[in-house]
Amino acid sequence: QLKVNLYVYSNSEAIMIDGNLTQFGPGYSNQLDELDAHKLSNTGENIGISRNRKAYIVERRADILQTDTIPFVLGQMKQRTYKMELTASRLSDNMTAFLEDKFLQTRTPLNLEGTTNVEFTVTNSAPGSYASDRFRVVFNSLTRVPQPVISRFTANRGTDNRIALQWDVT
């Protein structure tokens, strides 16, 4: 799963103001269904999961096979510094993930067995800094390096008691 919390700073203390959760598993579907939860609108700053032009607070998806993307939707952002805390668990097998920031054009690698913190600033003078579609997480499976397989192996003792080994590798 990937849990995302949004924080604001008050007197240098981070205060959580919103969050969402994406879970992956073989019993879930990539189609939106009764296992996914719509995000209720509010008047404060918020972050949701964006699917079909709607915001979700919980999304359950099938296991990641090759690639997957979690697009976020920001709302009611104010001119200040925020912290996004992304906590992943049990996602590290043969996988990489990045938080992409469309405004800054950066990709921050995510810790897939722990927490990654990313601070960002919203300013009124830069519309891209408060764009609702500023962030997304992109997953990629790592290509496995083929392991050699011994398909034939023989050992023969020679007349001088030395052993000759022969094998084929595919």
Side-chain angles (χ1 to χ4, degrees), residues 2-20:
L2 179 66
K3 181 173 62 170
V4 178
N5 291 324
L6 182 65
Y7 293 83
V8 295
Y9 289 100
S10 176
N11 299 326
S12 72
E13 180 184 354
I15 300 169
M16 190 176 93
I17 56 172
D18 202 13
N20 59 62

Side-chain angles (χ1 to χ4, degrees), residues 1-138:
Q1 70 179 21
L2 179 66
K3 181 173 62 170
V4 178
N5 291 324
L6 182 65
Y7 293 83
V8 295
Y9 289 100
S10 176
N11 299 326
S12 72
E13 180 184 354
I15 300 169
M16 190 176 93
I17 56 172
D18 202 13
N20 59 62
L21 175 69
T22 304
Q23 293 181 318
F24 299 91
Y28 302 138
S29 166
N30 287 346
Q31 303 302 315
L32 296 170
D33 57 25
E34 69 279 355
L35 298 176
D36 305 308
H38 283 276
K39 184 165 186 54
L40 299 175
S41 54
N42 62 54
T43 58
E45 298 108 308
N46 57 77
I47 184 168
I49 302 162
S50 178
R51 297 284 181 204
N52 298 339
R53 293 186 292 273
K54 293 182 182 174
Y56 290 82
I57 192 165
V58 175
E59 184 182 26
R60 292 181 175 94
R61 301 183 59 74
D63 283 331
I64 304 167
L65 298 177
Q66 288 290 327
T67 61
D68 205 343
T69 303
I70 303 172
F72 297 112
V73 58
L74 299 173
Q76 316 297 346
M77 304 308 281
K78 298 179 180 161
Q79 185 171 328
R80 62 168 88 184
T81 299
Y82 295 90
K83 178 175 83 169
M84 193 182 308
E85 177 186 75
L86 301 102
T87 304
S89 61
R90 298 176 56 196
L91 291 178
S92 65
D93 289 346
N94 200 33
M95 189 73 52
T96 62
F98 296 88
L99 177 68
E100 292 186 347
D101 182 335
K102 191 169 154 181
F103 172 64
L104 296 178
Q105 298 180 352
T106 58
R107 289 173 46 114
T108 303
L110 298 184
N111 177 353
L112 295 181
E113 284 298 331
T115 301
T116 305
N117 291 304
V118 176
E119 287 189 349
F120 65 98
T121 301
V122 170
T123 62
N124 291 337
S125 61
S129 73
Y130 54 86
S132 64
D133 64 345
R134 178 175 174 174
F135 295 103
R136 71 180 186 164
V137 169
V138 177

